[in-house]
Every structure is written in structure tokens, then in C-alpha cells.
Amino acid sequence: MAFQGVIRWILPRDDQFFTHLEALGTYARQSAEAFASFRDGKTADEVREAVQIIEHQADGIVRELEDALARTFVTPIDREDIHRLSNELDDIIDLTNLAARTCGLYGIKSPSRAMTELMDTLVEDA
């Protein structure tokens, strides 16, 4: 046991990555719910603004995670997997933001039935 303690002291593991990934998952869920509020009567501009705020917050978490990866020698899981997970979650948020901005750009007053079904799927899967 003493040898493992020395190794952990020399090469500390930083478990903050799980916290960052969980925060990104939460932001993905919040962006999906904010976008889905379009079906509940919010205007496209209100939805765009709400999703944009969430997207900026998520970008801050991605930057923190990338900085932590650069500073940490031993990660709890493979660093490429952490990077890939954070990029995938960030892509979900970015694409949700793009969809919300597009609705505002094209002046969509209310979502179609197909859009509503896709919003439901996004919220369910996020």
C-alpha cells in the first residue's frame, strides 16, 4: 500500500473531469429544454436568446476542461475519450443553438408538427 501512496503523490489524479462532463450534460439538457419552449408559446427570439446564453456557459466549461487536460498528467479515463465526450456534448449544444438561431432568422412564428416531434426527441435524448 505504501508504494501506491507514493505513486499517487507523485502522479496525482484529477477527477474534476467528471464534474465538467456532467455540467456539459446538464447544459445540453437545458439547451434542449430551452429550444423546446418554442412549442410552448415562446417567440423564436426569446428561444434564441435563452439557448445562446446556455451555449456561452457551456463553452466556458469546455475551455476549463481543455485547460485541465493540458495541466493534468494522469486522467481518470483516457484523455482522448474525455476530449471526444466534451466535443460531442458541445456539438449537441452548438447545433441546438444553430437550430434556435435559424428559427429566428427565418421568422418562424410557431413550430410545425415535425419540428415539435424533433424537439421532443432532443429533450428526451439530452
Side-chain angles (χ1 to χ4, degrees):
M1 277 313 249
F3 183 69
Q4 286 180 343
V6 170
I7 295 296
R8 288 189 181 159
W9 181 73
I10 293 171
L11 301 172
R13 288 175 55 139
D14 197 346
D15 294 334
Q16 68 180 337
F17 299 106
F18 296 120
T19 304
H20 290 314
L21 291 172
E22 187 175 327
L24 283 174
T26 300
Y27 283 132
R29 176 73 179 201
Q30 289 175 354
S31 68
E33 290 171 347
F35 182 55
S37 69
F38 188 38
R39 69 172 182 239
D40 300 328
K42 286 197 174 182
T43 67
D45 288 333
E46 291 171 331
V47 170
R48 178 195 49 78
E49 186 174 324
V51 174
Q52 184 77 34
I53 290 168
I54 295 167
E55 193 268 338
H56 285 310
Q57 293 169 339
D59 284 345
I61 296 294
V62 170
R63 280 190 296 278
E64 288 176 20
L65 192 137
E66 293 295 328
D67 288 344
L69 272 175
R71 289 188 321 266
T72 306
F73 185 71
V74 178
T75 57
I77 58 176
D78 190 44
R79 71 179 54 252
E80 287 82 15
D81 290 340
I82 293 171
H83 184 71
R84 188 176 315 121
L85 279 168
S86 70
N87 281 341
E88 292 294 329
L89 288 166
D90 188 47
D91 286 348
I92 292 168
I93 298 164
D94 289 343
L95 292 171
T96 303
N97 184 36
L98 178 63
R101 288 179 22 223
T102 302
C103 289
L105 179 68
Y106 288 111
I108 298 173
K109 301 296 181 199
S110 63
S112 66
R113 180 181 168 146
M115 288 173 66
T116 302
E117 290 173 5
L118 287 172
M119 288 176 194
D120 292 339
T121 301
L122 181 62
V123 169
E124 186 178 307
D125 291 343

